[in-house]
Amino acid sequence: MSVLYERNKQKGPLIGILTARNRQGEIAGNGILFIELQKKLITLNGISFIFTQDGVGETSIDGYMYFPEKNSWKRITVPFPDLVYNRIPFRKSEQDASSQLFFSLLKERNIPFFNPCFIDKYELYCLLKDHPVLKSHIPMTILANHKKRLSAFLKNGESIYLKPSQSARGKGIFRLSLEDNGQIQLAAINKSKLYRSFDLFWLEWKKELIEKDYLAQEEIRPNLYEGKRFDFRILAHAEKNGFIVTGVGIRQSQEQQITTHIPTGGKLLPYQLLQTEEHDRFIQMVVKETGKALSEQFGYFGEFSIDAGISQSGNYYIYEVNSKPMSFDENEIEERKISQLCRLFFQLTKF
């Protein structure tokens, strides 16, 4: 049974957090984030609720609101919110007709929302490869759906990364290397395999590469700290005059060198350990330019994260941009994220 939410005495914005249901029909998403946002908003005289597409009606929405004093969620019926924060966790759910229809409805009603979509890795490459400032920081990339083109790309670089264009957190990534004797070495996070020829590799992987829209990316020889590669994890948010850096962390590989992600064995290091003025300048620049480019191409981005690195020759590179940033392991960055999001909620709703 729903509780009717009245907003007559509301001094701050009503924020709708859009998520989706998983295969079991349960509401999915980052529950800790939703709770912390609600706690912070209440202190600012705002309030939030979470909802899925199936709760949207013509004039109201059925959703769920968190009540901190009872540490519980209650089903509620609310009017359309002042802003929608898109946290749909599944690409398929976001791309279906009902989601796209709802986004169109928000535009018709002049209800601000962010972020507009997940980012396809190859679309990102196409967007940034000709960017006047960012193009020098983008690794060479091709689609991995053509045998001869992929073979030539590997011969040219001798070592490449293969990535699903719509994956996250390092899932499905592997490195392909051309040995001196013409053999092909495949190295994944938990396995490796040697192929006598590129033809044999292609025979086994063709279906996977094409069905999952893999792309091939030149391998950047990374700078090392204590003998192991490291990447920058950068969190950014929009503000009135552009985009600002909310926090930066370092992720370092340990047992394997394919990826630095924590779920695949990466180690967390404080940014201050490796911080330089040059790093700071690059991070400030890449946040400003990437945020502007994304918003011009896809729609308003209120937040995003960037995985970036530095090569042994000292060049900076952008590896990935994520429109639905996962939680950072650094508590201080998470706290700033909550504050920045709430500030943005108030700014966009003009409260």
Side-chain angles (χ1 to χ4, degrees):
M1 182 177 176
S2 295
V3 176
L4 184 63
Y5 172 73
E6 299 287 350
R7 58 184 299 177
N8 300 337
K9 298 180 181 180
Q10 185 183 324
K11 296 179 181 178
L14 174 63
I15 305 300
I17 303 174
L18 176 60
T19 183
R21 296 185 183 274
N22 59 24
R23 291 177 181 175
Q24 291 73 42
E26 301 166 336
I27 291 180
N30 189 337
I32 294 175
L33 172 64
F34 304 158
I35 288 172
E36 292 305 314
L37 280 172
Q38 175 74 321
K39 288 179 179 178
K40 182 69 173 181
L41 278 167
I42 288 173
T43 68
L44 300 170
N45 295 315
I47 201 160
S48 66
F49 67 97
I50 65 171
F51 69 103
T52 60
Q53 291 295 336
D54 55 13
V56 178
E58 290 187 12
T59 58
S60 63
I61 297 176
D62 289 334
Y64 297 86
M65 187 174 286
Y66 178 74
F67 292 84
E69 68 277 9
K70 296 181 179 179
N71 189 27
S72 65
W73 293 88
K74 286 188 177 180
R75 183 166 180 169
I76 49 122
T77 298
V78 294
F80 271 72
D82 299 301
L83 177 146
V84 171
Y85 175 37
N86 177 14
R87 288 296 303 194
I88 296 177
F90 312 120
R91 291 173 187 266
K92 189 175 180 181
S93 298
E94 187 178 74
Q95 292 167 356
D96 69 24
S98 63
S99 293
Q100 296 305 310
L101 191 64
F102 180 65
F103 293 145
S104 296
L105 179 62
L106 293 177
K107 291 177 182 177
E108 288 175 12
R109 297 192 177 199
N110 293 316
I111 296 175
F113 68 95
F114 69 90
N115 294 315
C117 60
F118 280 98
I119 302 171
D120 177 279
K121 290 181 175 62
Y122 191 68
E123 287 183 5
L124 177 71
Y125 170 73
C126 291
L127 173 64
L128 301 184
K129 70 181 178 66
D130 297 320
H131 190 279
V133 178
L134 298 176
K135 62 182 179 182
S136 62
H137 302 293
I138 308 300
M140 182 65 69
T141 302
I142 65 168
L143 291 173
N145 58 2
H146 190 277
K147 180 181 177 181
K148 287 186 178 180
R149 190 185 306 125
L150 182 60
S151 177
F153 192 66
L154 176 60
K155 287 178 181 176
N156 186 56
E158 296 187 347
S159 185
I160 61 176
Y161 279 96
L162 290 165
K163 305 177 177 181
S165 62
Q166 297 189 350
S167 71
R169 290 181 288 177
K171 291 180 180 178
I173 293 178
F174 58 93
R175 183 170 59 205
L176 210 60
S177 303
L178 178 62
E179 305 295 315
D180 292 338
N181 58 5
Q183 293 184 326
I184 304 296
Q185 177 73 51
L186 179 148
I189 293 170
N190 296 315
K191 64 179 180 179
S192 64
K193 187 172 181 178
L194 191 65
Y195 296 87
R196 291 200 307 272
S197 68
F198 185 85
D199 287 345
L200 290 173
F201 161 78
W202 181 259
L203 189 65
E204 182 174 326
W205 281 87
K206 174 183 177 181
K207 187 173 184 289
E208 178 92 354
L209 294 177
I210 293 175
E211 286 185 354
K212 293 190 177 179
D213 294 324
Y214 264 80
L215 52 83
Q217 192 174 81
E218 67 169 312
E219 181 182 16
I220 304 301
R221 306 292 179 182
N223 202 354
L224 306 178
Y225 175 70
E226 296 184 341
K228 296 176 180 177
R229 68 170 293 170
F230 66 91
D231 294 338
F232 302 109
R233 291 289 190 279
I234 305 161
L235 181 63
H237 287 91
E239 63 168 3
K240 287 183 179 179
N241 300 316
F243 297 85
I244 58 173
V245 179
T246 302
V248 183
I250 300 287
R251 301 294 180 266
Q252 185 184 40
S253 62
Q254 295 298 298
E255 299 302 321
Q256 49 80 27
Q257 298 293 312
I258 307 297
T259 174
T260 63
H261 292 281
I262 297 291
T264 55
K267 179 182 179 182
L268 182 153
L269 296 176
Y271 175 58
Q272 292 75 14
L273 186 67
L274 300 175
Q275 186 175 13
T276 66
E277 289 185 6
E278 190 176 7
H279 293 346
D280 288 347
R281 283 195 296 271
F282 166 75
I283 289 168
Q284 296 283 351
M285 179 279 294
V286 80
V287 161
K288 174 186 173 184
E289 297 294 342
T290 301
K292 183 179 177 183
L294 289 175
S295 293
E296 288 177 352
Q297 178 71 16
F298 301 115
Y300 184 69
F301 273 75
E303 70 174 342
F304 57 91
S305 65
I306 299 173
D307 295 351
I310 184 169
S311 69
Q312 291 179 4
S313 60
N315 294 325
Y316 292 95
Y317 287 93
I318 300 169
Y319 297 133
E320 289 189 26
V321 180
N322 303 296
S323 63
K324 311 283 179 69
M326 299 297 294
S327 296
F328 274 61
D329 293 284
E330 295 89 345
N331 290 333
E332 66 276 13
I333 295 179
E334 280 296 292
E335 289 174 4
R336 286 200 296 272
K337 176 172 78 174
I338 297 299
S339 294
Q340 294 287 23
L341 283 170
C342 290
R343 178 192 54 77
L344 194 55
F345 294 158
F346 275 75
Q347 176 189 311
L348 293 175
T349 56
K350 297 180 171 58
F351 269 85

Short mmCIF file of all heavy atoms in Angstrom, two decimals, residues 285-320:
data_model
loop_
_atom_site.label_atom_id
_atom_site.label_comp_id
_atom_site.label_asym_id
_atom_site.label_seq_id
_atom_site.Cartn_x
_atom_site.Cartn_y
_atom_site.Cartn_z
N MET A 285 42.20 19.80 -16.89
CA MET A 285 41.90 20.01 -18.31
C MET A 285 40.99 18.91 -18.85
O MET A 285 40.00 19.19 -19.54
CB MET A 285 43.21 20.04 -19.11
CG MET A 285 43.04 20.23 -20.61
SD MET A 285 42.61 18.71 -21.54
CE MET A 285 44.12 17.76 -21.33
N VAL A 286 41.31 17.66 -18.55
CA VAL A 286 40.57 16.55 -19.15
C VAL A 286 39.13 16.50 -18.63
O VAL A 286 38.21 16.15 -19.36
CB VAL A 286 41.32 15.21 -18.91
CG1 VAL A 286 41.09 14.65 -17.52
CG2 VAL A 286 40.95 14.20 -19.96
N VAL A 287 38.92 16.89 -17.38
CA VAL A 287 37.56 16.95 -16.83
C VAL A 287 36.75 18.03 -17.54
O VAL A 287 35.61 17.81 -17.98
CB VAL A 287 37.61 17.20 -15.31
CG1 VAL A 287 36.28 17.73 -14.79
CG2 VAL A 287 37.98 15.91 -14.59
N LYS A 288 37.34 19.21 -17.67
CA LYS A 288 36.65 20.33 -18.31
C LYS A 288 36.28 20.00 -19.76
O LYS A 288 35.12 20.18 -20.18
CB LYS A 288 37.54 21.56 -18.27
CG LYS A 288 37.01 22.77 -19.04
CD LYS A 288 38.03 23.89 -19.05
CE LYS A 288 37.59 25.02 -19.96
NZ LYS A 288 38.63 26.09 -20.05
N GLU A 289 37.23 19.51 -20.53
CA GLU A 289 37.00 19.26 -21.96
C GLU A 289 36.12 18.05 -22.19
O GLU A 289 35.27 18.05 -23.09
CB GLU A 289 38.34 19.10 -22.67
CG GLU A 289 39.24 20.32 -22.64
CD GLU A 289 38.67 21.50 -23.40
OE1 GLU A 289 37.76 21.31 -24.23
OE2 GLU A 289 39.14 22.63 -23.18
N THR A 290 36.29 16.99 -21.41
CA THR A 290 35.47 15.79 -21.59
C THR A 290 34.02 16.06 -21.24
O THR A 290 33.11 15.65 -21.96
CB THR A 290 36.01 14.62 -20.73
OG1 THR A 290 37.37 14.36 -21.09
CG2 THR A 290 35.18 13.36 -20.93
N GLY A 291 33.78 16.75 -20.13
CA GLY A 291 32.42 17.07 -19.73
C GLY A 291 31.70 17.89 -20.78
O GLY A 291 30.53 17.63 -21.12
N LYS A 292 32.38 18.86 -21.32
CA LYS A 292 31.80 19.72 -22.36
C LYS A 292 31.48 18.90 -23.61
O LYS A 292 30.40 19.01 -24.19
CB LYS A 292 32.76 20.85 -22.68
CG LYS A 292 32.23 21.85 -23.69
CD LYS A 292 33.24 22.97 -23.94
CE LYS A 292 32.73 23.93 -25.01
NZ LYS A 292 33.74 24.99 -25.31
N ALA A 293 32.42 18.05 -24.04
CA ALA A 293 32.23 17.25 -25.25
C ALA A 293 31.09 16.26 -25.09
O ALA A 293 30.26 16.08 -25.99
CB ALA A 293 33.52 16.52 -25.61
N LEU A 294 31.01 15.60 -23.94
CA LEU A 294 29.94 14.63 -23.68
C LEU A 294 28.57 15.30 -23.71
O LEU A 294 27.62 14.79 -24.32
CB LEU A 294 30.14 13.95 -22.33
CG LEU A 294 31.30 12.96 -22.20
CD1 LEU A 294 31.42 12.50 -20.76
CD2 LEU A 294 31.11 11.76 -23.13
N SER A 295 28.45 16.43 -23.03
CA SER A 295 27.17 17.11 -22.94
C SER A 295 26.70 17.64 -24.29
O SER A 295 25.51 17.63 -24.60
CB SER A 295 27.24 18.25 -21.91
OG SER A 295 27.42 17.72 -20.60
N GLU A 296 27.64 18.10 -25.11
CA GLU A 296 27.28 18.60 -26.44
C GLU A 296 26.81 17.48 -27.35
O GLU A 296 25.94 17.66 -28.19
CB GLU A 296 28.47 19.33 -27.06
CG GLU A 296 28.77 20.67 -26.42
CD GLU A 296 30.00 21.34 -27.01
OE1 GLU A 296 30.71 20.69 -27.81
OE2 GLU A 296 30.27 22.50 -26.66
N GLN A 297 27.38 16.27 -27.16
CA GLN A 297 27.07 15.15 -28.04
C GLN A 297 25.85 14.35 -27.59
O GLN A 297 25.01 13.97 -28.40
CB GLN A 297 28.28 14.23 -28.14
CG GLN A 297 28.07 12.98 -29.02
CD GLN A 297 28.00 13.31 -30.50
OE1 GLN A 297 28.39 14.40 -30.91
NE2 GLN A 297 27.49 12.38 -31.28
N PHE A 298 25.76 14.06 -26.29
CA PHE A 298 24.76 13.11 -25.81
C PHE A 298 23.65 13.71 -24.96
O PHE A 298 22.61 13.08 -24.75
CB PHE A 298 25.45 12.00 -24.99
CG PHE A 298 26.48 11.23 -25.75
CD1 PHE A 298 27.82 11.29 -25.38
CD2 PHE A 298 26.14 10.44 -26.83
CE1 PHE A 298 28.78 10.57 -26.08
CE2 PHE A 298 27.09 9.72 -27.53
CZ PHE A 298 28.42 9.79 -27.16
N GLY A 299 23.85 14.89 -24.42
CA GLY A 299 22.91 15.46 -23.47
C GLY A 299 23.63 15.80 -22.18
O GLY A 299 24.80 15.46 -22.00
N TYR A 300 22.94 16.44 -21.27
CA TYR A 300 23.59 16.99 -20.07
C TYR A 300 24.17 15.93 -19.15
O TYR A 300 23.45 15.03 -18.69
CB TYR A 300 22.59 17.85 -19.30
CG TYR A 300 23.19 18.53 -18.11
CD1 TYR A 300 24.13 19.54 -18.24
CD2 TYR A 300 22.83 18.16 -16.82
CE1 TYR A 300 24.68 20.18 -17.15
CE2 TYR A 300 23.37 18.79 -15.71
CZ TYR A 300 24.30 19.79 -15.89
OH TYR A 300 24.85 20.40 -14.80
N PHE A 301 25.45 16.02 -18.89
CA PHE A 301 26.13 15.14 -17.95
C PHE A 301 26.39 15.89 -16.66
O PHE A 301 27.17 16.84 -16.63
CB PHE A 301 27.45 14.63 -18.55
CG PHE A 301 27.30 13.40 -19.38
CD1 PHE A 301 26.77 13.47 -20.65
CD2 PHE A 301 27.64 12.16 -18.88
CE1 PHE A 301 26.60 12.34 -21.42
CE2 PHE A 301 27.48 11.01 -19.64
CZ PHE A 301 26.96 11.10 -20.91
N GLY A 302 25.74 15.46 -15.60
CA GLY A 302 25.96 16.08 -14.31
C GLY A 302 27.14 15.48 -13.59
O GLY A 302 27.74 16.12 -12.72
N GLU A 303 27.49 14.25 -13.93
CA GLU A 303 28.64 13.59 -13.32
C GLU A 303 29.19 12.55 -14.27
O GLU A 303 28.51 12.05 -15.16
CB GLU A 303 28.24 12.93 -11.99
CG GLU A 303 27.35 11.71 -12.16
CD GLU A 303 27.08 10.96 -10.87
OE1 GLU A 303 27.82 11.15 -9.89
OE2 GLU A 303 26.13 10.17 -10.86
N PHE A 304 30.44 12.22 -14.10
CA PHE A 304 31.08 11.14 -14.84
C PHE A 304 32.41 10.84 -14.16
O PHE A 304 32.89 11.61 -13.32
CB PHE A 304 31.29 11.51 -16.32
CG PHE A 304 32.10 12.76 -16.55
CD1 PHE A 304 33.48 12.71 -16.72
CD2 PHE A 304 31.47 13.99 -16.61
CE1 PHE A 304 34.22 13.87 -16.92
CE2 PHE A 304 32.20 15.17 -16.82
CZ PHE A 304 33.58 15.09 -16.98
N SER A 305 32.99 9.71 -14.52
CA SER A 305 34.33 9.39 -14.04
C SER A 305 35.21 9.05 -15.23
O SER A 305 34.72 8.64 -16.29
CB SER A 305 34.31 8.24 -13.03
OG SER A 305 33.88 7.04 -13.64
N ILE A 306 36.50 9.24 -15.06
CA ILE A 306 37.48 8.99 -16.11
C ILE A 306 38.56 8.06 -15.57
O ILE A 306 39.07 8.27 -14.47
CB ILE A 306 38.13 10.31 -16.58
CG1 ILE A 306 37.08 11.27 -17.16
CG2 ILE A 306 39.22 10.03 -17.63
CD1 ILE A 306 37.65 12.65 -17.49
N ASP A 307 38.89 7.04 -16.36
CA ASP A 307 40.07 6.23 -16.09
C ASP A 307 41.16 6.73 -17.03
O ASP A 307 40.98 6.71 -18.26
CB ASP A 307 39.81 4.75 -16.37
CG ASP A 307 38.77 4.16 -15.43
OD1 ASP A 307 38.39 4.84 -14.47
OD2 ASP A 307 38.34 3.02 -15.67
N ALA A 308 42.25 7.20 -16.49
CA ALA A 308 43.33 7.75 -17.30
C ALA A 308 44.66 7.22 -16.80
O ALA A 308 44.77 6.67 -15.70
CB ALA A 308 43.30 9.28 -17.25
N GLY A 309 45.69 7.40 -17.61
CA GLY A 309 47.01 6.94 -17.22
C GLY A 309 48.09 7.74 -17.89
O GLY A 309 47.83 8.66 -18.68
N ILE A 310 49.32 7.39 -17.56
CA ILE A 310 50.48 8.08 -18.13
C ILE A 310 51.44 7.02 -18.66
O ILE A 310 51.67 5.99 -18.02
CB ILE A 310 51.15 9.00 -17.08
CG1 ILE A 310 52.30 9.78 -17.69
CG2 ILE A 310 51.57 8.23 -15.85
CD1 ILE A 310 52.84 10.89 -16.79
N SER A 311 51.97 7.27 -19.86
CA SER A 311 52.85 6.30 -20.50
C SER A 311 54.28 6.45 -19.99
O SER A 311 54.62 7.43 -19.32
CB SER A 311 52.83 6.47 -22.01
OG SER A 311 53.45 7.70 -22.37
N GLN A 312 55.13 5.48 -20.36
CA GLN A 312 56.53 5.55 -19.95
C GLN A 312 57.24 6.75 -20.57
O GLN A 312 58.22 7.24 -20.02
CB GLN A 312 57.24 4.25 -20.35
CG GLN A 312 56.77 3.05 -19.55
CD GLN A 312 57.45 1.76 -19.96
OE1 GLN A 312 58.34 1.75 -20.80
NE2 GLN A 312 57.03 0.65 -19.35
N SER A 313 56.69 7.24 -21.68
CA SER A 313 57.29 8.42 -22.32
C SER A 313 56.74 9.73 -21.76
O SER A 313 57.13 10.80 -22.21
CB SER A 313 57.06 8.36 -23.83
OG SER A 313 55.67 8.33 -24.12
N GLY A 314 55.78 9.63 -20.81
CA GLY A 314 55.26 10.82 -20.16
C GLY A 314 54.00 11.40 -20.77
O GLY A 314 53.56 12.47 -20.35
N ASN A 315 53.40 10.71 -21.72
CA ASN A 315 52.15 11.18 -22.32
C ASN A 315 50.95 10.69 -21.50
O ASN A 315 50.94 9.56 -21.02
CB ASN A 315 52.01 10.67 -23.76
CG ASN A 315 53.06 11.27 -24.68
OD1 ASN A 315 53.45 12.42 -24.53
ND2 ASN A 315 53.53 10.47 -25.62
N TYR A 316 49.94 11.54 -21.39
CA TYR A 316 48.72 11.17 -20.67
C TYR A 316 47.71 10.56 -21.64
O TYR A 316 47.60 11.00 -22.79
CB TYR A 316 48.10 12.39 -20.00
CG TYR A 316 48.92 12.96 -18.87
CD1 TYR A 316 49.81 14.02 -19.10
CD2 TYR A 316 48.82 12.45 -17.57
CE1 TYR A 316 50.56 14.56 -18.06
CE2 TYR A 316 49.58 12.97 -16.53
CZ TYR A 316 50.45 14.03 -16.79
OH TYR A 316 51.20 14.55 -15.76
N TYR A 317 46.93 9.57 -21.16
CA TYR A 317 45.94 8.92 -22.00
C TYR A 317 44.63 8.73 -21.25
O TYR A 317 44.62 8.46 -20.04
CB TYR A 317 46.43 7.56 -22.49
CG TYR A 317 47.51 7.67 -23.54
CD1 TYR A 317 48.85 7.65 -23.20
CD2 TYR A 317 47.17 7.80 -24.90
CE1 TYR A 317 49.84 7.77 -24.16
CE2 TYR A 317 48.16 7.92 -25.87
CZ TYR A 317 49.48 7.90 -25.49
OH TYR A 317 50.45 8.02 -26.46
N ILE A 318 43.52 8.88 -21.98
CA ILE A 318 42.19 8.57 -21.45
C ILE A 318 41.85 7.15 -21.88
O ILE A 318 41.84 6.83 -23.07
CB ILE A 318 41.13 9.53 -22.03
CG1 ILE A 318 41.46 10.97 -21.66
CG2 ILE A 318 39.73 9.17 -21.54
CD1 ILE A 318 40.62 12.00 -22.40
N TYR A 319 41.57 6.27 -20.92
CA TYR A 319 41.22 4.89 -21.24
C TYR A 319 39.72 4.67 -21.30
O TYR A 319 39.21 3.98 -22.18
CB TYR A 319 41.85 3.94 -20.20
CG TYR A 319 43.35 3.96 -20.19
CD1 TYR A 319 44.04 4.04 -18.98
CD2 TYR A 319 44.09 3.90 -21.37
CE1 TYR A 319 45.43 4.06 -18.95
CE2 TYR A 319 45.47 3.92 -21.34
CZ TYR A 319 46.14 4.00 -20.13
OH TYR A 319 47.51 4.03 -20.11
N GLU A 320 39.00 5.23 -20.34
CA GLU A 320 37.55 5.04 -20.30
C GLU A 320 36.89 6.26 -19.67
O GLU A 320 37.50 6.97 -18.88
CB GLU A 320 37.16 3.79 -19.49
CG GLU A 320 37.50 2.48 -20.15
CD GLU A 320 36.89 1.30 -19.40
OE1 GLU A 320 35.86 1.48 -18.72
OE2 GLU A 320 37.45 0.19 -19.50
#
